[in-house]
Amino acid sequence: MEVGRLLLVLGLVLVVLGLIWLYAPGLLGWFGRLPGDIRIEREGFRFYFPLTSMLLVSLALSLLLRWFR
C-alpha cells in the first residue's frame, strides 16, 4: 500500500512540474543557474555540472519521502 501511495504522489508531482514547465517556463528559470552550479564554456567545449541544483532536488526528495514514511 505504501509503494502505491508513493508512486501516486510522485506521479502527481511530475504532472504539476510538467504543467508548470509547459505553461509558465519563467517560473523555473532560476533552476540550473544557482550559485554553486559549475559551468565552464570555452571554444569548442562546454561543461556543466549542476551541483547546487541537484543538492536542492536531493533535499526536496528526501523531505518528501520522509514525510510520506
Side-chain angles (χ1 to χ4, degrees):
M1 207 59 168
E2 288 289 324
V3 174
R5 192 165 98 188
L6 176 66
L7 287 174
L8 181 65
V9 169
L10 287 176
L12 290 173
V13 167
L14 284 175
V15 166
V16 168
L17 284 175
L19 288 172
I20 289 172
W21 201 323
L22 183 63
Y23 293 111
L27 197 60
L28 294 175
W30 55 270
F31 190 74
R33 293 184 176 96
L34 295 172
D37 289 343
I38 300 169
R39 180 185 304 238
I40 301 172
E41 294 183 18
R42 295 193 178 125
E43 186 177 328
F45 177 76
R46 186 182 305 176
F47 177 75
Y48 179 65
F49 187 70
L51 182 65
T52 306
S53 296
M54 289 302 104
L55 286 173
L56 187 63
V57 167
S58 175
L59 177 67
L61 287 176
S62 295
L63 290 174
L64 185 69
L65 289 175
R66 183 176 290 254
W67 186 48
F68 282 105
R69 264 191 163 184

